[in-house]
Amino acid sequence: MPKVLIETAFEEIRFSCQRCGSCCHHRRPLDEFDDLIPMERLSEFVARSNLIYLTKSDISNIGKRARKRPEEFAETLRPYDGQVVKLEDSGRIVLLDIPVLKSKKDTTCVFYDVGNCRIHAVRPVACRLFPFRVDETETPEGDILLRIGFNPNCPGIGKGPVVDKGRLEELVSKQFLERSSAIAGEIESLRGKIAPGAKVYRSFPGRRP
């Protein structure tokens, strides 16, 4: 059983949100990736996008706060049914169709209104983390390394109080454990239906209008 390690890619850094809204724009590299993203290209996709991935807790909290159904604000490649793991091509394809927040035509989040977030109190963990982001890699020993970096272009970097690295690591751990536990549980329920040597892909929600 691999261990999960978390580390920050910086010693000390200051941050204070400037309410510029840049993090509320969802970047999608439309011409560089297909609907199904091979796992070997996932790190490249993550580096070129800033989609806000949602956990089941995020969807539940946002739905209650905004009084909306999941399909009104959460976007998936296949019709949303609460499940992340989809089997296609008679089990030869395992698709991880993780929901993301929907965007408006101008690429802003559906809950963003000129400097104001309408779900700020229950915003997803991914939003709470920004401008910090997580790169997931594997160590030579086979363990999972979650390395926390940051977006140097964010105007809030270098301003305000020193960031609490312990709090960041807590958020990253919570997000990873909830998502990985959900995926592991769904895969276990599909045991016997997944073909030997099945190929695993991540979906690209919102690529098509």
Side-chain angles (χ1 to χ4, degrees):
M1 176 73 70
K3 293 183 292 185
V4 178
L5 311 173
I6 302 176
E7 69 175 28
T8 50
F10 49 87
E11 289 299 321
E12 183 178 286
I13 195 168
R14 294 180 180 275
F15 170 69
S16 176
C17 179
Q18 304 300 295
R19 302 184 70 83
C20 66
S22 62
C23 60
C24 301
H25 286 259
H26 302 161
R27 187 172 66 255
R28 286 176 165 87
L30 301 178
D31 299 326
E32 302 172 53
F33 297 88
D34 295 324
D35 289 347
L36 305 188
I37 303 168
M39 297 306 287
E40 56 267 26
R41 293 198 67 195
L42 184 58
S43 60
E44 180 187 353
F45 175 77
V46 170
R48 295 173 182 271
S49 62
N50 69 332
L51 301 181
I52 300 300
Y53 289 95
L54 304 173
T55 64
K56 288 188 177 181
S57 293
D58 288 331
I59 290 176
S60 175
N61 293 336
I62 293 170
K64 291 175 182 176
R65 177 80 175 193
R67 297 183 179 180
K68 291 181 178 294
R69 301 185 306 276
E71 57 270 25
E72 294 182 85
F73 61 85
E75 193 160 30
T76 48
L77 183 62
R78 308 301 186 226
Y80 180 76
D81 60 4
Q83 301 298 304
V84 169
V85 182
K86 313 287 187 183
L87 296 187
E88 301 186 350
D89 193 20
S90 300
R92 288 186 285 271
I93 291 178
V94 178
L95 176 62
L96 304 182
D97 197 12
I98 302 174
V100 301
L101 270 179
K102 283 188 174 182
S103 307
K104 293 180 283 192
K105 288 184 178 180
D106 64 357
T107 77
T108 58
C109 171
V110 290
F111 293 113
Y112 177 75
D113 290 321
V114 192
N116 179 57
C117 172
R118 291 188 279 117
I119 57 165
H120 192 267
V122 295
R123 65 196 186 281
V125 172
C127 295
R128 295 174 189 273
L129 281 171
F130 199 87
F132 302 94
R133 61 188 305 160
V134 182
D135 291 321
E136 182 179 331
T137 58
E138 186 175 299
T139 68
E141 296 75 26
D143 294 323
I144 298 170
L145 175 61
L146 304 178
R147 196 162 191 264
I148 306 173
F150 63 93
N151 181 352
N153 297 317
C154 174
I157 290 292
K159 301 174 182 177
V162 173
V163 170
D164 183 346
K165 293 199 293 184
R167 175 58 175 159
L168 277 181
E169 293 171 359
E170 181 183 331
L171 285 172
V172 169
S173 175
K174 174 184 177 182
Q175 182 187 50
F176 177 82
L177 288 175
E178 180 175 355
R179 182 176 297 151
S180 59
S181 296
I183 291 174
E186 290 181 28
I187 288 178
E188 179 63 27
S189 71
L190 295 169
R191 186 183 294 273
K193 296 181 181 179
I194 301 175
K199 183 80 171 176
V200 181
Y201 294 87
R202 277 278 286 272
S203 67
F204 187 172
R207 179 174 175 272
R208 299 173 185 273

